Amino acid sequence: MTRGHRVSVRDLLYSAYERTILGHLRPDQVPAHVGVIVDGNRRWARGAGAGVTGGYQAGADKITEFLGWCDELDVKVVTLWLLSTDNLHRPEDELRALLDVITDLVDALTESRRWHVRLIGNLDLLPSDVAEGLRRAARATSDVDGLEVNLCVGYGGRQELADAVRSLLREQAEHGRTLDEVAESIDVEHIADHLYTKGQPDPDLVIRTSGEQRLSGFLLWQSVHSEFYFCEALWPAFRRVDFLRAIRSYAERERRFGQ
């Protein structure tokens, strides 16, 4: 049996397996909001004998493919963590390569007019030319009625909470309230209204690739009742069958929401 034939048989088996999983999923079992920590691009590059930039590009290519899978299942919101605040401390040449890949990705997603793209994070931490280009591209999809795609760039969970509290205090100060008055009246909903994801539902399912089993600060506030799925595959090697397994795992769980 030739290698090409083995690959063909394997693909047929996976295709049949995917259809089996889909056949057992009801529409109401599909999460409305999926968050993804797209981890493992650099490790994939080392294993593939590619440069770091090649790993970043392979990860970006996977995102477009992944969004297509989400469209097929009628997922409403997807949040993808592309660049953390910790990543900003990487060597300058590596960081610039990553920012270039992200910029090209955002441009491609917005030009497709398939999805409503939003930037989530503190873009003021990025070089000004990069930040302005990202903002301009994302604004171009404000009228697109499709899957909402949150791209986390310059994002950190602690940074988000600090920015939310800062925004809340400024808003209250504009209304002439003292710090003591704010302290007496503040509740969790006030903070939620100032998060980067304000107006969106919290993630039902959070997926992390690469075998790591931690959140690393991803959507700290929003994921309090999320279900988590950790996958061994590195992000560029993440397959549709891996995604369907995550959805099946989610569908099999009884969500308690802390009760």
Side-chain angles (χ1 to χ4, degrees), residues 33 35-37 79 81 84-86 120 152 155-164 188 191-192 195-197 201-203 206 208 213-228 230:
H33 184 173
V36 190
I37 303 173
T79 300
W81 197 4
S84 72
T85 50
D86 291 336
I120 301 295
C152 298
Y155 176 87
R158 291 178 175 177
Q159 181 72 48
E160 178 178 24
L161 293 177
D163 287 346
V188 294
I191 294 177
L195 296 173
Y196 299 148
T197 58
D202 291 338
V206 174
R208 180 169 188 157
Q213 297 190 21
R214 60 181 185 272
L215 287 181
S216 301
F218 182 58
L219 301 180
L220 288 176
W221 182 283
Q222 300 91 327
S223 65
V224 63
H225 294 308
S226 300
E227 300 294 328
F228 302 105
F230 300 104

Side-chain angles (χ1 to χ4, degrees), residues 57-236:
Q57 187 59 58
D61 294 341
K62 180 61 63 174
I63 285 173
T64 303
E65 189 177 7
F66 178 79
L67 294 176
W69 301 339
C70 291
D71 266 341
E72 291 173 3
L73 293 182
D74 199 27
V75 174
K76 305 300 183 185
V77 184
V78 174
T79 300
L80 299 145
W81 197 4
L82 306 186
L83 180 73
S84 72
T85 50
D86 291 336
N87 295 156
L88 296 174
H89 302 296
R90 289 182 177 175
E92 184 176 351
D93 57 341
E94 182 180 334
L95 177 60
R96 190 70 209 196
L98 177 52
L99 289 173
D100 287 345
V101 169
I102 290 173
T103 298
D104 290 344
L105 170 66
V106 174
D107 286 343
L109 294 180
T110 56
E111 288 171 6
S112 74
R113 301 288 295 171
R114 294 177 62 185
W115 303 297
H116 182 172
V117 177
R118 294 177 57 182
L119 276 301
I120 301 295
N122 190 334
L123 297 186
D124 291 337
L125 300 176
L126 307 181
S128 58
D129 60 321
V130 174
E132 180 52 36
L134 293 175
R135 289 189 180 102
R136 184 170 56 252
R139 285 196 298 267
T141 68
S142 60
D143 62 334
V144 175
D145 183 18
L147 172 67
E148 291 190 60
V149 180
N150 297 324
L151 301 177
C152 298
V153 181
Y155 176 87
R158 291 178 175 177
Q159 181 72 48
E160 178 178 24
L161 293 177
D163 287 346
V165 172
R166 188 179 299 112
S167 174
L168 171 63
L169 291 176
R170 285 173 175 163
E171 177 189 74
Q172 295 298 310
E174 289 174 358
H175 287 86
R177 297 189 178 94
T178 67
L179 189 58
D180 284 340
E181 290 172 334
V182 175
E184 286 294 325
S185 62
I186 192 172
D187 61 25
V188 294
E189 292 305 320
H190 288 126
I191 294 177
D193 287 342
H194 291 267
L195 296 173
Y196 299 148
T197 58
K198 60 185 176 183
Q200 294 184 325
D202 291 338
D204 302 296
L205 172 66
V206 174
I207 300 170
R208 180 169 188 157
T209 57
S210 85
E212 303 292 347
Q213 297 190 21
R214 60 181 185 272
L215 287 181
S216 301
F218 182 58
L219 301 180
L220 288 176
W221 182 283
Q222 300 91 327
S223 65
V224 63
H225 294 308
S226 300
E227 300 294 328
F228 302 105
Y229 185 86
F230 300 104
C231 178
E232 292 293 328
L234 302 176
W235 174 248

